[in-house]
Amino acid sequence: QSALTQPASVSGSPGQSITISCTGTSSDVGAYNFVSWYQQHPGKAPKLMIYDVSNRPSGVSNRFSGSKSDSTASLTISGLQAEDEADYYCNSYTSTSTWVFGGGTKLTVL
Amino acid sequence: EVQLVESGGGLIQPGGSLRLSCAASGFTVSSNYMSWVRQAPAKGLEWVSVIYSGGGTYYAGSVRGRSTISRDDSKNTLYLQLNSLGAEDTAVYYCARAVTGTFYFDSWGQGTLVTVSS
């Protein structure tokens, strides 16, 4: 199972919006609405930010939103804040009953 | 409160074996889908293995054939046995929970570092 494809880095200024894409195949992202997104700060464990494509867990800011079209999912962060600077990973359940992560995207808040 | 605590990492010689543990509290391991996820230094997350609540097990290609995921219901603990270790297995290993019927990881441990080196 090959890793999902994410841009290596994105950046934005405080208050702006950014979008991170996550491209998979018809065996993972395109097969199910089981795409999730994780935020990871240096030295910390990942934190769930979005599940089932577009749902936010309790406690996650509504500045985070997710969507999907065919085999590409996206995470949008609006109203960028300094604390959003982190690595972001997409993840999808697959047709072989396994999971696959994206390569990760480093978000820099300028 | 849901809590996951990994242990068992350390410095291992190439070709060696290790068993990682993940002690859970606040929920029942056997009633959930429990996974191992690893992260090599300065690299991304890699899903490694899962044991489903029904007992089925699956592995990533990178560890298939030389790893075994298991659980001890009496200890509410998840394990990962890794054999024939190589430098490519050097990573922080996290255990993560997906509630049965869901396919996202809502709880993570703090990770345990495995370093494979002579």
Side-chain angles (χ1 to χ4, degrees):
Chain A
Q1 189 79 40
S2 298
L4 307 176
T5 301
Q6 298 181 232
S9 63
V10 297
S11 62
S13 299
Q16 288 186 332
S17 295
I18 63 96
T19 296
I20 300 171
S21 61
C22 170
T23 301
T25 71
S26 58
S27 296
D28 39 63
V29 176
Y32 309 101
N33 288 325
F34 296 142
V35 175
S36 50
W37 290 87
Y38 301 86
Q39 177 192 65
Q40 187 180 36
H41 287 108
K44 300 296 186 182
K47 174 187 176 184
L48 177 68
M49 304 302 286
I50 295 287
Y51 66 93
D52 294 351
V53 174
S54 60
N55 294 289
R56 277 189 314 277
S58 174
V60 171
S61 171
N62 58 9
R63 297 184 298 104
F64 291 83
S65 62
S67 63
K68 193 189 88 165
S69 177
D70 297 327
S71 297
T72 297
S74 298
L75 172 71
T76 297
I77 308 173
S78 59
L80 270 180
Q81 299 180 0
E83 68 212 49
D84 299 333
E85 186 163 293
D87 293 326
Y88 291 85
Y89 295 91
C90 62
N91 177 271
S92 177
Y93 189 63
T94 82
S95 60
T96 55
S97 303
T98 61
W99 281 262
V100 61
F101 281 96
T105 298
K106 180 178 180 59
L107 169 61
T108 300
V109 180
L110 303 171
Chain B
E1 179 193 4
V2 171
Q3 193 171 12
L4 296 165
V5 179
E6 301 95 336
S7 61
L11 178 62
I12 309 292
Q13 289 200 334
S17 299
L18 60 75
R19 188 179 79 159
L20 303 178
S21 300
C22 171
S25 57
F27 73 99
T28 301
V29 164
S30 62
S31 297
N32 292 269
Y33 305 159
M34 298 298 299
S35 279
W36 288 96
V37 175
R38 68 182 181 182
Q39 186 170 34
K43 298 294 186 183
L45 300 173
E46 179 189 15
W47 178 85
V48 173
S49 181
V50 64
I51 182 166
Y52 285 97
S53 50
T57 60
Y58 292 83
Y59 301 90
S62 57
V63 302
R64 190 177 299 123
R66 60 188 186 94
S67 62
T68 303
I69 188 171
S70 62
R71 67 193 184 207
D72 184 329
D73 296 349
S74 67
K75 296 182 178 179
N76 208 34
T77 299
L78 175 73
Y79 301 100
L80 182 68
Q81 174 79 33
L82 268 175
N83 304 317
S84 303
L85 288 163
E88 67 277 10
D89 297 310
T90 293
V92 173
Y93 285 74
Y94 297 99
C95 61
R97 180 188 80 165
V99 172
T100 293
T102 71
F103 300 93
Y104 54 88
F105 306 115
D106 69 334
S107 300
W108 296 70
Q110 85 290 347
T112 186
L113 176 62
V114 173
T115 303
V116 183
S117 176
S118 55

